[in-house]
mmCIF file of all heavy atoms in Angstrom:
data_model
loop_
_atom_site.group_PDB
_atom_site.id
_atom_site.type_symbol
_atom_site.label_atom_id
_atom_site.label_comp_id
_atom_site.label_asym_id
_atom_site.label_seq_id
_atom_site.Cartn_x
_atom_site.Cartn_y
_atom_site.Cartn_z
ATOM 1 N N VAL O 29 7.308 5.190 -9.166
ATOM 2 C CA VAL O 29 8.636 4.483 -9.403
ATOM 3 C C VAL O 29 9.756 5.449 -9.103
ATOM 4 O O VAL O 29 10.756 5.064 -8.395
ATOM 5 C CB VAL O 29 8.688 4.043 -10.899
ATOM 6 C CG1 VAL O 29 10.022 3.396 -11.148
ATOM 7 C CG2 VAL O 29 7.588 2.935 -11.140
ATOM 8 N N GLU O 30 9.616 6.654 -9.587
ATOM 9 C CA GLU O 30 10.720 7.689 -9.396
ATOM 10 C C GLU O 30 10.917 8.041 -7.924
ATOM 11 O O GLU O 30 12.030 8.109 -7.356
ATOM 12 C CB GLU O 30 10.526 8.963 -10.271
ATOM 13 C CG GLU O 30 10.602 8.735 -11.716
ATOM 14 C CD GLU O 30 12.062 8.326 -12.149
ATOM 15 O OE1 GLU O 30 12.958 8.845 -11.622
ATOM 16 O OE2 GLU O 30 12.117 7.392 -12.992
ATOM 17 N N PHE O 31 9.825 8.244 -7.217
ATOM 18 C CA PHE O 31 9.810 8.691 -5.853
ATOM 19 C C PHE O 31 10.331 7.495 -4.980
ATOM 20 O O PHE O 31 11.065 7.674 -3.949
ATOM 21 C CB PHE O 31 8.508 9.112 -5.319
ATOM 22 C CG PHE O 31 8.108 10.485 -5.791
ATOM 23 C CD1 PHE O 31 6.861 10.757 -6.301
ATOM 24 C CD2 PHE O 31 8.991 11.545 -5.671
ATOM 25 C CE1 PHE O 31 6.507 11.997 -6.712
ATOM 26 C CE2 PHE O 31 8.677 12.809 -6.163
ATOM 27 C CZ PHE O 31 7.318 13.066 -6.612
ATOM 28 N N ALA O 32 9.926 6.260 -5.318
ATOM 29 C CA ALA O 32 10.496 5.050 -4.671
ATOM 30 C C ALA O 32 12.008 4.936 -4.767
ATOM 31 O O ALA O 32 12.658 4.427 -3.893
ATOM 32 C CB ALA O 32 9.763 3.849 -5.156
ATOM 33 N N ARG O 33 12.491 5.251 -5.881
ATOM 34 C CA ARG O 33 13.916 5.131 -6.138
ATOM 35 C C ARG O 33 14.727 6.274 -5.557
ATOM 36 O O ARG O 33 15.848 6.107 -5.000
ATOM 37 C CB ARG O 33 14.193 5.089 -7.675
ATOM 38 C CG ARG O 33 13.693 3.775 -8.260
ATOM 39 C CD ARG O 33 13.992 3.838 -9.792
ATOM 40 N NE ARG O 33 13.650 2.546 -10.430
ATOM 41 C CZ ARG O 33 13.754 2.336 -11.748
ATOM 42 N NH1 ARG O 33 14.191 3.263 -12.569
ATOM 43 N NH2 ARG O 33 13.387 1.134 -12.230
ATOM 44 N N HIS O 34 14.213 7.453 -5.674
ATOM 45 C CA HIS O 34 15.000 8.639 -5.358
ATOM 46 C C HIS O 34 14.404 9.526 -4.202
ATOM 47 O O HIS O 34 15.126 10.396 -3.781
ATOM 48 C CB HIS O 34 15.120 9.535 -6.520
ATOM 49 C CG HIS O 34 15.719 8.811 -7.722
ATOM 50 N ND1 HIS O 34 16.992 8.278 -7.819
ATOM 51 C CD2 HIS O 34 15.139 8.418 -8.901
ATOM 52 C CE1 HIS O 34 17.175 7.657 -8.947
ATOM 53 N NE2 HIS O 34 16.069 7.749 -9.653
ATOM 54 N N GLY O 35 13.210 9.217 -3.741
ATOM 55 C CA GLY O 35 12.603 10.081 -2.816
ATOM 56 C C GLY O 35 12.130 11.383 -3.358
ATOM 57 O O GLY O 35 12.334 11.705 -4.516
ATOM 58 N N LEU O 36 11.500 12.202 -2.504
ATOM 59 C CA LEU O 36 11.073 13.475 -2.987
ATOM 60 C C LEU O 36 12.206 14.402 -3.402
ATOM 61 O O LEU O 36 12.095 15.111 -4.451
ATOM 62 C CB LEU O 36 10.253 14.225 -1.815
ATOM 63 C CG LEU O 36 9.854 15.715 -2.101
ATOM 64 C CD1 LEU O 36 8.914 15.761 -3.248
ATOM 65 C CD2 LEU O 36 9.194 16.239 -0.881
ATOM 66 N N LYS O 37 13.284 14.408 -2.725
ATOM 67 C CA LYS O 37 14.374 15.348 -3.007
ATOM 68 C C LYS O 37 15.132 14.907 -4.277
ATOM 69 O O LYS O 37 15.518 15.771 -5.028
ATOM 70 C CB LYS O 37 15.358 15.343 -1.869
ATOM 71 C CG LYS O 37 14.749 15.931 -0.561
ATOM 72 C CD LYS O 37 15.798 15.787 0.641
ATOM 73 C CE LYS O 37 15.104 16.315 1.932
ATOM 74 N NZ LYS O 37 16.017 16.145 3.064
ATOM 75 N N GLY O 38 15.239 13.607 -4.546
ATOM 76 C CA GLY O 38 16.054 13.232 -5.694
ATOM 77 C C GLY O 38 15.312 13.037 -6.928
ATOM 78 O O GLY O 38 15.838 13.046 -8.053
ATOM 79 N N ALA O 39 13.978 12.839 -6.943
ATOM 80 C CA ALA O 39 13.167 12.615 -8.105
ATOM 81 C C ALA O 39 13.069 13.885 -8.936
ATOM 82 O O ALA O 39 13.001 14.940 -8.433
ATOM 83 C CB ALA O 39 11.798 12.131 -7.664
ATOM 84 N N ARG O 40 13.026 13.703 -10.228
ATOM 85 C CA ARG O 40 12.975 14.856 -11.198
ATOM 86 C C ARG O 40 11.678 14.725 -12.003
ATOM 87 O O ARG O 40 11.285 13.599 -12.450
ATOM 88 C CB ARG O 40 14.110 14.900 -12.151
ATOM 89 C CG ARG O 40 15.474 15.125 -11.398
ATOM 90 C CD ARG O 40 16.640 15.116 -12.374
ATOM 91 N NE ARG O 40 16.800 13.856 -12.988
ATOM 92 C CZ ARG O 40 16.604 13.638 -14.348
ATOM 93 N NH1 ARG O 40 16.278 14.564 -15.108
ATOM 94 N NH2 ARG O 40 16.854 12.390 -14.792
ATOM 95 N N LEU O 41 10.945 15.842 -12.095
ATOM 96 C CA LEU O 41 9.752 15.911 -12.911
ATOM 97 C C LEU O 41 9.984 15.549 -14.357
ATOM 98 O O LEU O 41 9.136 14.875 -14.998
ATOM 99 C CB LEU O 41 9.086 17.289 -12.776
ATOM 100 C CG LEU O 41 8.435 17.633 -11.506
ATOM 101 C CD1 LEU O 41 7.747 19.020 -11.587
ATOM 102 C CD2 LEU O 41 7.488 16.594 -10.942
ATOM 103 N N SER O 42 11.184 15.899 -14.824
ATOM 104 C CA SER O 42 11.505 15.535 -16.264
ATOM 105 C C SER O 42 11.480 14.016 -16.430
ATOM 106 O O SER O 42 11.021 13.499 -17.472
ATOM 107 C CB SER O 42 12.765 16.186 -16.691
ATOM 108 O OG SER O 42 13.764 15.783 -15.831
ATOM 109 N N ALA O 43 12.127 13.380 -15.432
ATOM 110 C CA ALA O 43 12.197 11.901 -15.541
ATOM 111 C C ALA O 43 10.778 11.304 -15.391
ATOM 112 O O ALA O 43 10.444 10.274 -16.148
ATOM 113 C CB ALA O 43 13.065 11.293 -14.416
ATOM 114 N N ILE O 44 9.990 11.819 -14.550
ATOM 115 C CA ILE O 44 8.539 11.325 -14.353
ATOM 116 C C ILE O 44 7.808 11.559 -15.656
ATOM 117 O O ILE O 44 7.024 10.692 -16.176
ATOM 118 C CB ILE O 44 7.915 12.034 -13.214
ATOM 119 C CG1 ILE O 44 8.595 11.680 -11.907
ATOM 120 C CG2 ILE O 44 6.424 11.640 -13.179
ATOM 121 C CD1 ILE O 44 8.065 12.499 -10.699
ATOM 122 N N ALA O 45 7.961 12.719 -16.294
ATOM 123 C CA ALA O 45 7.282 13.010 -17.598
ATOM 124 C C ALA O 45 7.662 12.026 -18.685
ATOM 125 O O ALA O 45 6.785 11.574 -19.454
ATOM 126 C CB ALA O 45 7.522 14.457 -17.945
ATOM 127 N N THR O 46 9.001 11.867 -18.728
ATOM 128 C CA THR O 46 9.424 10.866 -19.760
ATOM 129 C C THR O 46 8.877 9.478 -19.559
ATOM 130 O O THR O 46 8.498 8.830 -20.507
ATOM 131 C CB THR O 46 11.023 10.836 -19.717
ATOM 132 O OG1 THR O 46 11.514 12.097 -20.011
ATOM 133 C CG2 THR O 46 11.534 9.837 -20.810
ATOM 134 N N ARG O 47 8.875 9.046 -18.294
ATOM 135 C CA ARG O 47 8.378 7.701 -18.071
ATOM 136 C C ARG O 47 6.885 7.563 -18.285
ATOM 137 O O ARG O 47 6.363 6.544 -18.747
ATOM 138 C CB ARG O 47 8.688 7.290 -16.505
ATOM 139 C CG ARG O 47 8.198 5.884 -16.100
ATOM 140 C CD ARG O 47 8.501 5.628 -14.705
ATOM 141 N NE ARG O 47 10.030 5.592 -14.450
ATOM 142 C CZ ARG O 47 10.723 4.469 -14.578
ATOM 143 N NH1 ARG O 47 10.086 3.349 -15.003
ATOM 144 N NH2 ARG O 47 11.958 4.485 -14.368
ATOM 145 N N ALA O 48 6.121 8.696 -18.073
ATOM 146 C CA ALA O 48 4.701 8.719 -18.286
ATOM 147 C C ALA O 48 4.329 9.081 -19.699
ATOM 148 O O ALA O 48 3.127 9.036 -20.002
ATOM 149 C CB ALA O 48 4.081 9.695 -17.311
ATOM 150 N N CYS O 49 5.281 9.404 -20.495
ATOM 151 C CA CYS O 49 5.137 9.769 -21.899
ATOM 152 C C CYS O 49 4.248 11.055 -22.037
ATOM 153 O O CYS O 49 3.282 11.044 -22.914
ATOM 154 C CB CYS O 49 4.471 8.648 -22.704
ATOM 155 S SG CYS O 49 5.539 7.146 -22.768
ATOM 156 N N ILE O 50 4.447 11.984 -21.201
ATOM 157 C CA ILE O 50 3.695 13.267 -21.218
ATOM 158 C C ILE O 50 4.680 14.415 -21.068
ATOM 159 O O ILE O 50 5.909 14.142 -20.886
ATOM 160 C CB ILE O 50 2.618 13.325 -20.187
ATOM 161 C CG1 ILE O 50 3.108 12.857 -18.783
ATOM 162 C CG2 ILE O 50 1.439 12.387 -20.551
ATOM 163 C CD1 ILE O 50 3.640 13.893 -17.944
ATOM 164 N N THR O 51 4.251 15.579 -20.993
ATOM 165 C CA THR O 51 5.186 16.674 -20.790
ATOM 166 C C THR O 51 5.157 17.138 -19.295
ATOM 167 O O THR O 51 4.219 16.888 -18.558
ATOM 168 C CB THR O 51 4.752 17.983 -21.584
ATOM 169 O OG1 THR O 51 3.452 18.335 -21.211
ATOM 170 C CG2 THR O 51 4.692 17.579 -23.112
ATOM 171 N N THR O 52 6.244 17.898 -18.876
ATOM 172 C CA THR O 52 6.175 18.363 -17.488
ATOM 173 C C THR O 52 5.085 19.379 -17.285
ATOM 174 O O THR O 52 4.542 19.511 -16.169
ATOM 175 C CB THR O 52 7.553 19.039 -17.129
ATOM 176 O OG1 THR O 52 7.859 20.042 -18.068
ATOM 177 C CG2 THR O 52 8.624 18.059 -17.175
ATOM 178 N N ALA O 53 4.667 20.079 -18.346
ATOM 179 C CA ALA O 53 3.541 21.020 -18.246
ATOM 180 C C ALA O 53 2.319 20.240 -17.895
ATOM 181 O O ALA O 53 1.447 20.768 -17.105
ATOM 182 C CB ALA O 53 3.334 21.765 -19.526
ATOM 183 N N THR O 54 2.060 19.083 -18.378
ATOM 184 C CA THR O 54 0.861 18.255 -17.950
ATOM 185 C C THR O 54 0.932 17.927 -16.474
ATOM 186 O O THR O 54 -0.112 17.867 -15.854
ATOM 187 C CB THR O 54 0.844 17.035 -18.804
ATOM 188 O OG1 THR O 54 0.922 17.319 -20.233
ATOM 189 C CG2 THR O 54 -0.417 16.173 -18.556
ATOM 190 N N ILE O 55 2.103 17.612 -15.978
ATOM 191 C CA ILE O 55 2.142 17.312 -14.541
ATOM 192 C C ILE O 55 1.840 18.507 -13.737
ATOM 193 O O ILE O 55 1.038 18.468 -12.786
ATOM 194 C CB ILE O 55 3.680 16.879 -14.198
ATOM 195 C CG1 ILE O 55 3.999 15.626 -14.861
ATOM 196 C CG2 ILE O 55 3.776 16.760 -12.689
ATOM 197 C CD1 ILE O 55 5.475 15.154 -14.635
ATOM 198 N N HIS O 56 2.349 19.720 -14.086
ATOM 199 C CA HIS O 56 1.925 20.969 -13.429
ATOM 200 C C HIS O 56 0.342 21.160 -13.537
ATOM 201 O O HIS O 56 -0.225 21.720 -12.615
ATOM 202 C CB HIS O 56 2.759 22.100 -13.974
ATOM 203 C CG HIS O 56 4.129 22.125 -13.575
ATOM 204 N ND1 HIS O 56 4.588 22.261 -12.322
ATOM 205 C CD2 HIS O 56 5.332 21.945 -14.365
ATOM 206 C CE1 HIS O 56 5.985 22.281 -12.260
ATOM 207 N NE2 HIS O 56 6.307 22.067 -13.542
ATOM 208 N N TYR O 57 -0.180 20.850 -14.644
ATOM 209 C CA TYR O 57 -1.587 21.095 -14.847
ATOM 210 C C TYR O 57 -2.437 20.379 -13.883
ATOM 211 O O TYR O 57 -3.433 20.798 -13.290
ATOM 212 C CB TYR O 57 -1.976 20.723 -16.303
ATOM 213 C CG TYR O 57 -3.452 20.876 -16.568
ATOM 214 C CD1 TYR O 57 -4.083 22.082 -16.782
ATOM 215 C CD2 TYR O 57 -4.242 19.735 -16.568
ATOM 216 C CE1 TYR O 57 -5.421 22.138 -17.086
ATOM 217 C CE2 TYR O 57 -5.602 19.845 -16.865
ATOM 218 C CZ TYR O 57 -6.233 21.026 -17.039
ATOM 219 O OH TYR O 57 -7.557 21.093 -17.276
ATOM 220 N N TYR O 58 -1.983 19.073 -13.621
ATOM 221 C CA TYR O 58 -2.835 18.251 -12.778
ATOM 222 C C TYR O 58 -2.417 18.204 -11.282
ATOM 223 O O TYR O 58 -3.322 18.044 -10.402
ATOM 224 C CB TYR O 58 -2.798 16.746 -13.274
ATOM 225 C CG TYR O 58 -3.575 16.464 -14.510
ATOM 226 C CD1 TYR O 58 -2.967 16.160 -15.780
ATOM 227 C CD2 TYR O 58 -4.965 16.502 -14.528
ATOM 228 C CE1 TYR O 58 -3.620 15.885 -16.939
ATOM 229 C CE2 TYR O 58 -5.711 16.220 -15.714
ATOM 230 C CZ TYR O 58 -5.001 15.958 -16.850
ATOM 231 O OH TYR O 58 -5.776 15.678 -18.005
ATOM 232 N N PHE O 59 -1.204 18.433 -11.087
ATOM 233 C CA PHE O 59 -0.693 18.337 -9.693
ATOM 234 C C PHE O 59 0.028 19.514 -9.136
ATOM 235 O O PHE O 59 0.579 19.571 -8.091
ATOM 236 C CB PHE O 59 0.241 17.111 -9.516
ATOM 237 C CG PHE O 59 -0.443 15.792 -9.839
ATOM 238 C CD1 PHE O 59 -0.379 15.216 -11.143
ATOM 239 C CD2 PHE O 59 -1.330 15.198 -8.920
ATOM 240 C CE1 PHE O 59 -0.952 14.000 -11.413
ATOM 241 C CE2 PHE O 59 -1.989 14.034 -9.171
ATOM 242 C CZ PHE O 59 -1.816 13.411 -10.426
ATOM 243 N N GLU O 60 0.093 20.584 -9.906
ATOM 244 C CA GLU O 60 0.643 21.893 -9.563
ATOM 245 C C GLU O 60 2.270 21.909 -9.538
ATOM 246 O O GLU O 60 2.873 22.615 -10.269
ATOM 247 C CB GLU O 60 0.097 22.406 -8.270
ATOM 248 C CG GLU O 60 0.567 23.874 -7.966
ATOM 249 C CD GLU O 60 -0.164 24.492 -6.712
ATOM 250 O OE1 GLU O 60 -1.048 23.850 -6.189
ATOM 251 O OE2 GLU O 60 0.301 25.563 -6.319
#
Side-chain angles (χ1 to χ4, degrees):
V29 176
E30 291 297 318
F31 286 134
R33 290 179 176 176
H34 307 291
L36 173 61
K37 297 176 183 177
R40 295 180 296 114
L41 287 183
S42 59
I44 295 171
T46 298
R47 183 179 291 275
C49 299
I50 47 91
T51 65
T52 54
T54 304
I55 295 177
H56 288 294
Y57 175 78
Y58 286 111
F59 299 99
E60 188 174 352

